[in-house]
């Protein structure tokens, strides 16, 4: 067993960010409730320091009195891992400390605490910190199902999804990654293929693991019939591409088969793209759209820079 002074000392080593973050101070009340539920201490912050009052239990067993039952090393490790992830959440929320009022469901934070408690890898703790920050900004951003998927991700898988998220595009309610560069090389996808090759991403080592994880799906196709002047829009946070059929064209449809994000994939993507270190990639989507433009010569592809909601500036990248 570990005594109370050791617990306080170890927790405080992980609290330099947590203790100075107003929004995490608000969260600590909930955390105290979790720890109390799981391990029966009371955890509070006073003057930027952690204070843990561990309740001492006496248990009568076979006539022997057991005293001073406190945290085990396993329990302390779980708490340390949570504090570390909470620290990353605090960094993400440092600009929103006064605006964010965490109202996280107790069942959610209990599940989160249990999941992150077993994660000692710093990069995965950083990902969990993003999950916590996203949930604190807006409750319901990460479902329990998505949390279970993240819980089972390896560090490599998390890194792959983080890379792929930079290429995500949206059309209506669909979120997807164009598959041009991940297909077998041909005369139709030379540029996108070479681009993905340089990134080190591969279909077998990148896309398939994400499908197996439940973050990507290949069961759908994005198709549009250009009837009644319908327009297909494909966009990310910075640009939008409008695809329009010529009025005298016999070709009135387009069909592509990208890698679609599942519901959990969309939740995790929205968390990642809302964080401070996210940078959208326009180079790969532009190459893919150029290749689609060549495959559909009777369609008009026009790109625009997004200025604001429903406000675009022409930006001919194709």
């Amino acid at each position: 067993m570990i005594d109370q002074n050791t617990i306080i000392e170890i927790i405080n080593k992980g609290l330099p960010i947590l203790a100075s973050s107003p929004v995490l101070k608000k969260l600590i009340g909930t955390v105290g409730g979790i720890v109390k539920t799981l391990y029966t201490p009371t955890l509070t912050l006073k003057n930027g320091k952690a204070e843990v009052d561990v309740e001492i239990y006496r248990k009568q067993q076979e006539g022997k009195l057991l005293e001073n039952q406190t945290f085990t090393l396993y329990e302390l490790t779980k708490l340390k891992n949570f504090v570390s992830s909470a620290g990353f959440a605090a960094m993400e929320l440092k600009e929103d400390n006064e605006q964010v009022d965490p109202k996280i469901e107790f069942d959610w934070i209990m599940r989160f605490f249990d999941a992150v408690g077993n994660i000692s890898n710093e990069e995965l703790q950083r990902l969990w910190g993003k999950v916590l920050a996203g949930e604190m900004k807006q409750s319901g951003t990460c479902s329990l199902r998505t949390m279970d998927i993240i819980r089972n991700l390896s560090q490599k898988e998390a890194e792959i999804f983080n890379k792929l998220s930079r290429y995500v595009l949206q059309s209506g309610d669909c979120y997807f990654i164009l598959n041009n560069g991940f297909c077998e090389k041909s005369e139709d996808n030379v540029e996108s293929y070479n681009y993905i090759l340089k990134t080190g991403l591969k279909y077998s080592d990148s896309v398939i693991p994400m499908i197996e994880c439940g973050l990507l799906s290949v069961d759908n196709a994005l198709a549009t019939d250009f009837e009644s002047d319908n327009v297909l829009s494909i966009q990310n946070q910075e640009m939008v591409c409008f695809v329009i059929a010529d009025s005298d064209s016999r070709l009135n449809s387009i069909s592509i088969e990208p890698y679609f994000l599942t519901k959990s994939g969309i939740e995790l993507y929205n968390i990642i793209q809302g964080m401070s270190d996210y940078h959208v990639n326009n180079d790969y989507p532009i190459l893919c759209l150029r290749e689609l433009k060549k495959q559909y010569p009777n369609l008009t592809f026009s790109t625009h820079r997004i200025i604001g909601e429903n406000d675009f500036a022409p930006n001919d990248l194709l």
Side-chain angles (χ1 to χ4, degrees):
M1 296 293 183
I2 300 173
D3 63 46
Q4 180 173 334
N5 290 332
T6 303
I7 293 171
I8 295 174
E9 179 182 356
I10 293 177
I11 291 176
N12 278 324
K13 287 181 179 179
L15 284 175
I17 297 174
L18 180 64
S20 62
S21 169
V23 70
L24 264 296
K25 285 182 180 179
K26 296 175 185 177
L27 181 65
I28 205 69
T30 304
V31 177
I34 294 170
V35 179
K36 186 178 179 65
T37 300
L38 294 176
Y39 309 126
T40 65
T42 300
L43 176 64
T44 59
L45 282 178
K46 293 182 179 179
N47 299 321
K49 292 292 183 180
E51 292 188 4
V52 181
D53 297 323
V54 181
E55 299 177 11
I56 300 176
Y57 282 85
R58 297 176 179 271
K59 182 178 179 183
Q60 190 73 34
Q61 185 178 10
E62 297 179 355
K64 295 181 180 180
L65 190 64
L66 303 180
E67 298 183 352
N68 298 331
Q69 294 187 351
T70 61
F71 283 119
T72 64
L73 179 59
Y74 172 73
E75 293 166 347
L76 180 61
T77 299
K78 287 178 70 73
L79 183 57
K80 285 175 60 182
N81 289 339
F82 173 86
V83 169
S84 179
S85 296
F88 286 120
M91 287 190 288
E92 291 292 344
L93 295 168
K94 61 183 178 181
E95 302 298 330
D96 305 302
N97 275 329
E98 299 304 325
Q99 289 75 29
V100 175
D101 184 13
K103 295 180 180 178
I104 302 177
E105 291 186 4
F106 190 74
D107 288 346
W108 190 95
I109 198 68
M110 280 284 288
R111 185 81 67 91
F112 178 90
F113 185 92
D114 185 54
V116 79
N118 296 309
I119 304 297
S120 57
N121 178 273
E122 183 174 317
E123 285 305 310
L124 289 176
Q125 287 178 347
R126 191 182 302 274
L127 175 61
W128 280 109
K130 293 179 179 180
V131 172
L132 179 57
E135 191 70 16
M136 292 175 72
K137 284 184 177 180
Q138 183 176 349
S139 179
T141 58
C142 182
S143 65
L144 296 180
R145 177 178 296 179
T146 300
M147 195 186 299
D148 283 341
I149 290 178
I150 300 173
R151 183 175 188 168
N152 292 316
L153 289 179
S154 66
Q155 179 184 352
K156 182 178 180 180
E157 290 167 340
E159 291 173 350
I160 289 173
F161 187 80
N162 194 53
K163 289 182 180 179
L164 290 175
S165 68
R166 301 175 63 215
Y167 307 135
V168 171
L169 298 171
Q170 181 182 0
S171 181
D173 295 330
C174 298
Y175 291 76
F176 56 89
I177 300 168
L178 291 170
N179 66 341
N180 303 39
F182 296 90
C183 296
E184 185 176 346
K185 188 175 182 180
S186 70
E187 61 180 14
D188 294 328
N189 72 334
V190 175
E191 290 186 289
S192 61
Y193 177 88
N194 289 335
Y195 186 92
I196 291 298
L197 186 64
K198 291 179 181 179
T199 67
L201 296 171
K202 297 180 181 178
Y203 176 79
S204 58
D205 297 337
S206 306
V207 176
I208 288 181
M210 296 301 97
I211 294 173
E212 293 174 343
C213 290
L215 296 173
L216 291 183
S217 170
V218 292
D219 294 336
N220 300 292
L222 182 65
T224 295
D225 292 325
F226 293 96
E227 298 176 355
S228 304
D229 297 324
N230 284 345
V231 177
L232 174 66
S233 65
I234 300 175
Q235 68 181 76
N236 58 24
Q237 291 85 347
E238 297 181 357
M239 70 169 191
V240 59
C241 176
F242 296 112
V243 185
I244 308 170
D246 296 336
S247 58
D248 59 348
S249 173
R250 293 183 178 181
L251 180 64
N252 62 357
S253 67
I254 183 175
S255 179
I256 57 178
E257 296 182 355
Y259 309 124
F260 283 83
L261 274 65
T262 62
K263 184 176 180 180
S264 291
I266 293 173
E267 288 184 2
L268 181 55
Y269 163 72
N270 283 330
I271 291 170
I272 292 175
Q273 64 90 20
M275 295 298 120
S276 57
D277 60 349
Y278 176 80
H279 301 288
V280 66
N281 177 287
N282 291 322
D283 296 334
Y284 174 68
I286 288 297
L287 292 177
C288 293
L289 290 170
R290 285 177 182 170
E291 291 167 352
L292 285 174
K293 183 178 180 179
K294 292 179 181 179
Q295 295 173 39
Y296 293 91
N298 293 324
L299 298 179
T300 299
F301 289 72
S302 63
T303 54
H304 302 261
R305 183 167 53 88
I306 298 176
I307 300 175
E309 187 175 357
N310 298 321
D311 188 8
F312 313 109
N315 190 11
D316 188 10
L317 299 173
L318 302 180

